[in-house]
Amino acid sequence: MELKVAGLSKSYKRRKNKEVKAVDGISLEIANGELVSVNGPSGCGKTTLLLMAGGLMSPDSGKVLLGGMDLYALPPEERDRERALRVGFVFQQFYLIPYLTVTENILIPSVGSGTWSLSLRERAMELITRLNLDHRADHKPGELSTGERQRAALARALINKPSVLFADEPTGNLDDDNAEIVLDHIAGYADEGAAVLLVTHDRRVGNRAHRVYRMKEGRFSDN
Amino acid sequence: MAGKNNRDRTDIRTIIGSELRHSKFGFITGVLSLVIATAVFVASMILLRGDELATERLMMEKEKELRVEMVQLEDDYRIIMRNMGYNVLILSSEQRISDLEREGYATSLINYDDVWELAESGITTLNHLLPVLQQKIFWREKDTEIYLSGIRGQVPVYAKPGHLTDDFEYRSPIMDRVPDGKADLGEEVAAHHNLRPGDVVTIRGEAFEVNRVYPRRGNRDDLTMWIPLDRAQAIFGTPGMISGILALECVCATGELGQVRKEVTAILPHTQVFEFSSLIAARADVRHRASRLHEEILQAELAHQSRLRTEKERLATILIAVIIAAAAVWIFVLIHNNVRERRHEIGILRAIGFRRHQVLGIFLGKSVIMGVLASVIGCMAGVAAGLHFAGYPAGGFEPVNGTVVAGGLLLAPLLAFTAGLLPSVIAANQDPADILNEQ
Ligand SMILES: Nc1ncnc2c1ncn2[C@@H]1O[C@H](COP(=O)(O)OP(=O)(O)O)[C@@H](O)[C@H]1O
Ligand SMILES: [Mg+2]
């Protein structure tokens, strides 16, 4: 199993010491080449689950195994490194760096992981072409349409060939056409052999997912 | 489309560079504030240093002035002393005092060359050597007795060039030389015979035009006629000879009476020396009082300048401190705002594997780059402004020293680093999960 999540729980402290159980004992396994979709309404805990699974947020309890490695048993710096090399993220808000060009944005993960190389540049060009961004390669994000921005963000997530791709509402800001394109590419990346976790309440995911979980109030509901 | 060379490499520098270009306002105002801080620092240091140099120069000029004044004072003093006469008399060792008393003049002569030997001996205890040939004679033409003195002007002591003009003449001789064919008269001689400058007198068959008449001195000078030495030697029939040498003792010798005597007789063994110490003591006193006064004036001026400088230094310190603090606050605000604006980017950078120190490097690097740029511009501006306000002409770099320039070059980068450190650390420590979890 590329990604294995076991008994993950997380509570947030609200004001007056009221606790909100955002994720409540979730277990999940994703194999290489598999696209798993977690669907549910806003506030059910999808983002919290994804951040924990992606190594960005320590769970209150439970484990995350990435390629067999216990992520939260690692010291934080090691965890950053593993994330840089093996994980890709796509978010609803894209989070592109506004003062860098599309090409630079796509290459930015190589700065964090220290993996810059000419072949990486070639891969960036290849992704730009594949995602139909050729005419936008030297543009800043501000000059792009939302669809182009999300495609650029997706290219950035894929530049290091991560073994696991996490996507949080990647189509939340997109029109139907762009949503189709982005979902197709995400599904295509699973077909290339990666494990993909897609959390969304978007029904346009359709039958691209190999498995679909419904989430409600921090738990997977049966059915 | 970008080529595949190393220039296209994307790294931290790319991020910093693009970000600086992207937020020009922050960049320019940040650099500007640091430039101002650096320039004010450098310019103030140069102004203070220039001030110090100007004071030094002023003091040196004052001292020179005082030295000139001292010489002037000595000259004045010499004029006073002329009325009291010389205070050293050198006569032949064979001269008996009883003869001197009886005749009223020296009866044993010495060689005129002796005065030159003394002048060139390097003796420092004597000034104003005046060779004199004098006799009391009966002036047949006027039926009266006078003192007839042959003088040729004073012979400089060559070891004491300070009192001499460029022509090796005394600045103010005690006794002026008598021009050829002329005669100077004492007051009583002139009054008694009703003589004025321009009149012609004959003595022993030789004619002299009256050159000047001295005011009354109340001593033997009033009964004296001065003529050129060689004419006197001819009249007396004693060519190459003189009665003696009058001299003025140097104040430096007044501490030890008898010192002059020892020195002179060592050079001219066939002579005897008479010193008149009361004159020496009076002279020394005048001079000491004058020099003490000058010392006091100089000290007062020094104290005044030093008070002024302390005041200026305090002002400069306050100014520099305020400007530096303002620049530091501005850099802090800039970087802090920048960190807040870049919150989401920081979150995503951390999510995709940027380490804390890399995020720190981006923000700190930015402020240090501003600092380095500002240090160069600020230093140049500060040097230019400092020299301008210190009133230095183009090309005058006297008050610019290495310490000031080094301080100026270090100030802005250090300032930017310090001010940028806290917000940069805050940026580096932001939890990416917190940021990415915000909707
Ligand atoms: N940082 C937080 N502090 C407090 N409550 C939070 C925080 N983040 C999320 N929550 C709460 O946790 C629950 C799950 O949130 P989230 O994981 O963002 O759900 P989703 O992504 O499905 O909308 C929600 O009730 C949300 O209000
Ligand atoms: Mg969410």
Side-chain angles (χ1 to χ4, degrees):
Chain A
M1 278 305 135
E2 192 51 38
L3 178 70
K4 186 169 173 178
V5 160
L8 275 189
S9 291
K10 181 78 182 180
S11 297
Y12 293 112
K13 284 194 177 59
R14 287 256 177 91
R15 250 176 280 175
K16 293 175 193 163
N17 274 350
K18 258 188 79 182
E19 285 208 347
V20 178
K21 210 148 190 146
V23 172
D24 189 7
I26 282 188
S27 298
L28 176 67
E29 291 184 6
I30 308 178
N32 289 327
E34 205 175 12
L35 168 58
V36 171
S37 163
V38 174
N39 294 359
S42 188
C44 70
K46 302 184 294 294
T47 298
T48 306
L49 171 64
L50 179 131
L51 291 175
M52 286 192 290
L56 283 168
M57 184 191 280
S58 309
D60 294 342
S61 61
K63 269 190 186 179
V64 176
L65 300 180
L66 188 68
M69 194 174 343
D70 186 349
L71 262 192
Y72 292 99
L74 296 175
E77 286 279 307
E78 285 276 305
R79 196 156 63 236
D80 289 349
R81 228 176 71 80
E82 289 305 320
R83 207 166 56 230
L85 292 172
R86 307 167 70 139
V87 175
F89 287 100
V90 183
F91 294 93
Q92 182 174 354
Q93 288 92 342
F94 329 130
Y95 295 134
L96 293 167
I97 313 248
Y99 48 86
L100 295 179
T101 64
V102 166
T103 310
E104 286 167 342
N105 262 290
I106 293 172
L107 281 167
I108 214 67
S110 69
V111 179
S113 58
T115 55
W116 194 92
S117 67
L118 278 179
S119 63
L120 202 77
R121 230 197 124 71
E122 271 163 32
R123 173 159 169 77
M125 295 301 155
E126 190 187 306
L127 284 167
I128 283 170
T129 306
R130 209 199 299 171
L131 287 156
N132 204 13
L133 288 167
D134 286 304
H135 59 301
R136 293 302 199 187
D138 293 326
H139 286 239
K140 304 269 168 71
E143 301 158 340
L144 272 53
S145 71
T146 46
E148 287 166 336
R149 285 183 213 184
Q150 192 59 299
R151 277 180 270 147
L154 183 58
R156 177 180 64 189
L158 301 182
I159 186 72
N160 275 340
K161 289 190 178 152
S163 55
V164 185
L165 176 65
F166 294 95
D168 186 359
E169 309 271 17
T171 54
N173 285 330
L174 302 185
D175 57 43
D176 286 351
D177 290 348
N178 277 306
E180 290 295 324
I181 296 170
V182 166
L183 288 172
D184 280 347
H185 276 103
I186 289 174
Y189 192 61
D191 292 341
E192 282 175 34
V196 179
L197 174 61
L198 171 62
V199 306
T200 182
H201 61 261
D202 193 339
R203 301 197 181 280
R204 293 176 292 196
V205 176
N207 57 7
R208 288 185 184 85
H210 300 112
R211 264 180 294 139
V212 177
Y213 293 94
R214 307 232 166 265
M215 194 166 171
K216 206 181 158 193
E217 288 169 2
R219 296 166 181 266
F220 288 163
S221 50
D222 316 314
N223 110 41
Chain B
M1 181 60 65
K4 293 173 184 174
N5 58 46
N6 232 22
R7 215 182 58 78
D8 297 321
R9 184 188 182 110
T10 302
D11 57 18
I12 297 269
R13 278 170 303 179
T14 317
I15 301 175
I16 295 175
S18 305
E19 157 86 272
L20 287 178
R21 275 194 299 280
H22 180 74
S23 41
K24 285 200 187 66
F25 174 78
F27 178 58
I28 290 169
T29 56
V31 171
L32 207 61
S33 68
L34 290 166
V35 163
I36 291 169
T38 305
V40 165
F41 170 75
V42 170
S44 304
M45 295 319 267
I46 288 175
L47 272 173
L48 286 176
R49 178 83 190 115
D51 207 54
E52 206 174 307
L53 288 173
T55 307
E56 269 169 32
R57 242 192 327 268
L58 191 80
M59 294 322 286
M60 258 159 67
E61 260 160 38
K62 274 236 158 70
E63 256 177 33
K64 215 162 80 188
E65 255 168 49
L66 287 182
R67 242 178 287 126
V68 171
E69 254 172 59
M70 287 294 278
V71 171
Q72 185 67 47
L73 195 83
E74 254 187 87
D75 287 348
D76 294 349
Y77 157 75
R78 270 186 217 115
I79 291 161
I80 298 164
M81 291 307 280
R82 176 162 61 199
N83 298 330
M84 301 161 80
Y86 293 82
N87 63 19
V88 171
L89 177 60
I90 302 166
L91 296 174
S92 163
S93 57
E94 284 160 22
Q95 178 65 48
R96 293 180 52 190
I97 303 301
S98 56
D99 292 341
L100 191 66
E101 284 297 305
R102 194 181 57 248
E103 300 293 335
Y105 59 90
T107 48
S108 297
L109 303 182
I110 57 174
N111 277 317
Y112 172 57
D113 291 341
D114 288 344
V115 74
W116 291 100
E117 200 167 321
L118 200 56
E120 286 159 10
S121 66
I123 192 166
T124 56
T125 50
L126 286 183
N127 278 328
H128 300 277
L129 306 178
L130 183 73
V132 181
L133 177 62
Q134 187 180 57
Q135 284 188 23
K136 190 156 80 180
I137 63 159
F138 181 71
W139 189 3
R140 244 177 293 131
E141 286 86 346
K142 299 280 182 190
D143 193 22
T144 187
E145 274 201 334
I146 58 163
Y147 290 93
L148 186 62
S149 267
I151 54 173
R152 65 147 320 269
Q154 291 156 49
V155 176
V157 171
Y158 292 103
K160 310 192 70 111
H163 298 306
L164 303 179
T165 65
D166 293 339
D167 309 327
F168 276 82
E169 293 280 336
Y170 278 108
R171 275 180 209 290
S172 16
I174 296 179
M175 194 100 215
D176 288 319
R177 62 168 68 225
V178 186
D180 267 348
K182 306 219 172 172
D184 290 349
L185 302 182
E187 192 264 352
E188 199 168 317
V189 173
H192 196 255
H193 302 289
N194 204 15
L195 294 171
R196 280 191 210 103
D199 294 348
V200 174
V201 294
T202 318
I203 188 158
R204 301 255 170 120
E206 294 213 33
F208 296 92
E209 186 193 327
V210 175
N211 179 45
R212 73 192 124 185
V213 175
Y214 286 113
R216 191 167 186 82
R217 288 175 182 172
N219 58 23
R220 180 200 281 187
D221 285 354
D222 296 336
L223 292 172
T224 304
M225 175 189 291
W226 291 273
I227 59 174
L229 179 60
D230 50 345
R231 305 297 294 279
Q233 285 170 334
I235 287 169
F236 299 146
T238 55
M241 302 303 280
I242 53 175
S243 313
I245 303 167
L246 282 165
L248 187 58
E249 196 170 2
C250 172
V251 76
C252 52
T254 55
E256 266 184 82
L257 282 174
Q259 175 73 18
V260 173
R261 183 166 299 170
K262 235 182 286 169
E263 281 201 304
V264 172
T265 51
I267 299 158
L268 303 172
H270 56 282
T271 61
Q272 54 183 324
V273 178
F274 299 89
E275 281 179 282
F276 308 102
S277 54
S278 62
L279 298 184
I280 301 167
R283 185 182 180 203
D285 189 46
V286 169
R287 192 159 166 172
H288 282 153
R289 242 191 317 216
S291 68
R292 210 165 39 238
L293 188 67
H294 286 152
E295 191 62 27
E296 273 165 23
I297 293 170
L298 209 62
Q299 288 306 326
E301 181 65 28
L302 268 173
H304 176 64
Q305 292 294 340
S306 132
R307 261 199 312 280
L308 266 181
R309 198 159 56 237
T310 315
E311 194 60 33
K312 284 181 194 168
E313 271 164 15
R314 205 167 44 224
L315 260 170
T317 310
I318 293 170
L319 180 69
I320 291 170
V322 167
I323 299 270
I324 285 180
V329 168
W330 182 238
I331 294 294
F332 176 86
V333 168
L334 273 181
I335 300 291
H336 189 71
N337 277 347
N338 189 238
V339 167
R340 278 201 348 219
E341 267 171 39
R342 295 279 166 262
R343 215 175 125 69
H344 287 113
E345 284 89 81
I346 295 168
I348 194 69
L349 287 176
R350 295 275 290 123
I352 61 182
F354 270 62
R355 263 32 88 66
R356 269 175 228 274
H357 69 84
Q358 286 174 308
V359 173
L360 188 76
I362 289 172
F363 289 92
L364 215 45
K366 201 151 53 184
S367 51
V368 170
I369 281 175
M370 292 196 278
V372 169
L373 195 65
S375 75
V376 177
I377 302 171
C379 255
M380 293 195 296
V383 166
L387 288 177
H388 175 75
F389 289 119
Y392 274 81
F397 283 98
E398 207 185 350
V400 184
N401 60 29
T403 321
V404 168
V405 173
L409 284 176
L410 278 179
L411 177 69
L414 278 179
L415 194 60
F417 180 87
T418 314
L421 187 60
L422 184 61
S424 300
V425 167
I426 291 172
N429 283 320
Q430 281 180 356
D431 187 347
D434 281 351
I435 297 166
L436 299 171
N437 200 12
E438 290 166 359
Q439 305 287 304

Short mmCIF file of all heavy atoms in Angstrom, two decimals, chain A residues 12-14 20 22-23 40-49 168-169, chain B residues 434 437 439, ligand 1:
data_model
loop_
_atom_site.label_atom_id
_atom_site.label_comp_id
_atom_site.label_asym_id
_atom_site.label_seq_id
_atom_site.Cartn_x
_atom_site.Cartn_y
_atom_site.Cartn_z
N TYR A 12 -10.39 20.12 17.20
CA TYR A 12 -9.97 21.52 17.30
C TYR A 12 -10.56 22.09 18.56
O TYR A 12 -11.69 21.80 18.92
CB TYR A 12 -10.47 22.34 16.11
CG TYR A 12 -9.84 21.95 14.79
CD1 TYR A 12 -10.60 21.34 13.81
CD2 TYR A 12 -8.50 22.21 14.54
CE1 TYR A 12 -10.05 21.00 12.59
CE2 TYR A 12 -7.94 21.87 13.33
CZ TYR A 12 -8.72 21.27 12.35
OH TYR A 12 -8.16 20.93 11.15
N LYS A 13 -9.79 22.95 19.23
CA LYS A 13 -10.33 23.65 20.39
C LYS A 13 -10.98 24.94 19.91
O LYS A 13 -10.37 25.74 19.23
CB LYS A 13 -9.21 23.97 21.38
CG LYS A 13 -8.77 22.74 22.16
CD LYS A 13 -7.93 23.10 23.37
CE LYS A 13 -7.57 21.85 24.16
NZ LYS A 13 -6.82 20.86 23.32
N ARG A 14 -12.22 25.08 20.27
CA ARG A 14 -12.91 26.34 19.98
C ARG A 14 -12.89 27.21 21.21
O ARG A 14 -12.37 26.84 22.24
CB ARG A 14 -14.36 26.06 19.57
CG ARG A 14 -14.48 25.45 18.20
CD ARG A 14 -14.96 26.51 17.20
NE ARG A 14 -15.01 25.97 15.85
CZ ARG A 14 -16.08 25.38 15.32
NH1 ARG A 14 -17.19 25.24 16.05
NH2 ARG A 14 -16.05 24.95 14.09
N VAL A 20 -14.20 20.54 18.95
CA VAL A 20 -14.89 20.04 17.77
C VAL A 20 -14.12 18.84 17.26
O VAL A 20 -12.93 18.95 16.97
CB VAL A 20 -14.95 21.11 16.67
CG1 VAL A 20 -15.64 20.55 15.45
CG2 VAL A 20 -15.64 22.35 17.17
N ALA A 22 -13.10 17.11 14.45
CA ALA A 22 -13.14 17.30 13.00
C ALA A 22 -12.98 15.97 12.27
O ALA A 22 -13.63 15.72 11.26
CB ALA A 22 -12.04 18.27 12.57
N VAL A 23 -12.11 15.12 12.74
CA VAL A 23 -11.91 13.79 12.15
C VAL A 23 -11.96 12.79 13.29
O VAL A 23 -11.33 12.97 14.32
CB VAL A 23 -10.56 13.68 11.40
CG1 VAL A 23 -10.30 12.24 10.97
CG2 VAL A 23 -10.55 14.61 10.19
N GLY A 40 -18.18 14.76 0.72
CA GLY A 40 -18.96 15.12 1.90
C GLY A 40 -19.20 16.60 1.91
O GLY A 40 -18.51 17.35 1.20
N PRO A 41 -20.14 17.02 2.73
CA PRO A 41 -20.48 18.44 2.77
C PRO A 41 -19.38 19.26 3.42
O PRO A 41 -18.50 18.72 4.10
CB PRO A 41 -21.75 18.48 3.61
CG PRO A 41 -21.64 17.29 4.49
CD PRO A 41 -20.94 16.24 3.69
N SER A 42 -19.48 20.54 3.21
CA SER A 42 -18.52 21.45 3.81
C SER A 42 -18.53 21.31 5.32
O SER A 42 -19.60 21.21 5.92
CB SER A 42 -18.89 22.88 3.40
OG SER A 42 -17.89 23.76 3.80
N GLY A 43 -17.35 21.28 5.94
CA GLY A 43 -17.24 21.20 7.39
C GLY A 43 -17.26 19.79 7.93
O GLY A 43 -17.20 19.59 9.15
N CYS A 44 -17.27 18.77 7.06
CA CYS A 44 -17.33 17.41 7.57
C CYS A 44 -15.95 16.88 7.96
O CYS A 44 -15.83 15.79 8.51
CB CYS A 44 -17.99 16.48 6.56
SG CYS A 44 -16.97 16.20 5.10
N GLY A 45 -14.88 17.63 7.64
CA GLY A 45 -13.54 17.22 8.08
C GLY A 45 -12.62 16.76 6.96
O GLY A 45 -11.54 16.22 7.23
N LYS A 46 -12.99 17.02 5.70
CA LYS A 46 -12.19 16.54 4.57
C LYS A 46 -10.78 17.14 4.55
O LYS A 46 -9.79 16.42 4.42
CB LYS A 46 -12.90 16.89 3.25
CG LYS A 46 -14.30 16.34 3.10
CD LYS A 46 -14.88 16.64 1.75
CE LYS A 46 -15.11 18.12 1.49
NZ LYS A 46 -16.13 18.74 2.35
N THR A 47 -10.72 18.47 4.69
CA THR A 47 -9.41 19.12 4.64
C THR A 47 -8.52 18.66 5.79
O THR A 47 -7.32 18.40 5.60
CB THR A 47 -9.58 20.65 4.67
OG1 THR A 47 -10.32 21.06 3.53
CG2 THR A 47 -8.24 21.36 4.68
N THR A 48 -9.12 18.55 6.96
CA THR A 48 -8.35 18.08 8.12
C THR A 48 -7.76 16.70 7.86
O THR A 48 -6.58 16.44 8.12
CB THR A 48 -9.26 18.06 9.36
OG1 THR A 48 -9.88 19.35 9.51
CG2 THR A 48 -8.49 17.72 10.61
N LEU A 49 -8.59 15.82 7.29
CA LEU A 49 -8.11 14.47 6.96
C LEU A 49 -6.95 14.53 5.97
O LEU A 49 -5.92 13.88 6.16
CB LEU A 49 -9.28 13.65 6.37
CG LEU A 49 -8.90 12.30 5.77
CD1 LEU A 49 -8.36 11.36 6.86
CD2 LEU A 49 -10.09 11.66 5.04
N ASP A 168 -7.36 18.87 -2.71
CA ASP A 168 -8.43 19.35 -1.83
C ASP A 168 -9.32 20.29 -2.61
O ASP A 168 -8.92 21.41 -2.92
CB ASP A 168 -7.82 20.07 -0.62
CG ASP A 168 -8.88 20.44 0.41
OD1 ASP A 168 -10.08 20.17 0.16
OD2 ASP A 168 -8.50 21.02 1.45
N GLU A 169 -10.54 19.82 -2.94
CA GLU A 169 -11.49 20.62 -3.73
C GLU A 169 -10.82 21.26 -4.93
O GLU A 169 -10.95 22.47 -5.16
CB GLU A 169 -12.10 21.73 -2.87
CG GLU A 169 -12.67 21.30 -1.55
CD GLU A 169 -14.14 20.90 -1.62
OE1 GLU A 169 -14.63 20.65 -2.75
OE2 GLU A 169 -14.78 20.81 -0.57
N ASP B 434 -2.11 25.41 9.47
CA ASP B 434 -2.99 26.51 9.89
C ASP B 434 -3.40 27.36 8.70
O ASP B 434 -4.56 27.76 8.57
CB ASP B 434 -2.28 27.41 10.90
CG ASP B 434 -2.28 26.81 12.29
OD1 ASP B 434 -2.99 25.79 12.48
OD2 ASP B 434 -1.58 27.33 13.17
N ASN B 437 -5.59 25.50 6.01
CA ASN B 437 -6.86 25.07 6.56
C ASN B 437 -7.88 26.21 6.58
O ASN B 437 -9.05 26.00 6.83
CB ASN B 437 -6.62 24.56 7.99
CG ASN B 437 -7.75 23.67 8.46
OD1 ASN B 437 -8.58 23.27 7.66
ND2 ASN B 437 -7.77 23.37 9.73
N GLN B 439 -10.42 28.78 5.19
CA GLN B 439 -11.23 28.85 3.97
C GLN B 439 -11.72 30.28 3.80
O GLN B 439 -11.99 30.96 4.75
CB GLN B 439 -12.43 27.91 4.07
CG GLN B 439 -12.03 26.48 4.36
CD GLN B 439 -11.40 25.77 3.19
OE1 GLN B 439 -11.99 25.69 2.14
NE2 GLN B 439 -10.22 25.23 3.37
N1 LIG C 1 -8.22 25.66 12.80
C1 LIG C 1 -9.48 25.31 13.21
N2 LIG C 1 -9.87 25.69 14.42
C2 LIG C 1 -11.14 25.34 14.86
N3 LIG C 1 -11.96 24.64 14.14
C3 LIG C 1 -11.62 24.20 12.92
C4 LIG C 1 -10.34 24.55 12.38
N4 LIG C 1 -10.24 24.02 11.13
C5 LIG C 1 -11.39 23.38 10.92
N5 LIG C 1 -12.20 23.51 11.96
C6 LIG C 1 -13.53 22.91 12.08
O1 LIG C 1 -13.38 21.52 11.91
C7 LIG C 1 -14.42 21.02 11.14
C8 LIG C 1 -13.85 20.36 9.91
O2 LIG C 1 -13.28 21.31 9.06
P1 LIG C 1 -12.61 20.96 7.65
O3 LIG C 1 -11.64 19.88 7.85
O4 LIG C 1 -12.06 22.23 7.07
O5 LIG C 1 -13.86 20.49 6.82
P2 LIG C 1 -14.06 20.54 5.25
O6 LIG C 1 -12.75 20.58 4.61
O7 LIG C 1 -14.80 19.27 4.99
O8 LIG C 1 -14.93 21.70 4.98
C9 LIG C 1 -15.32 22.18 10.81
O9 LIG C 1 -16.38 22.20 11.74
C10 LIG C 1 -14.44 23.37 10.99
O10 LIG C 1 -15.20 24.47 11.41
#
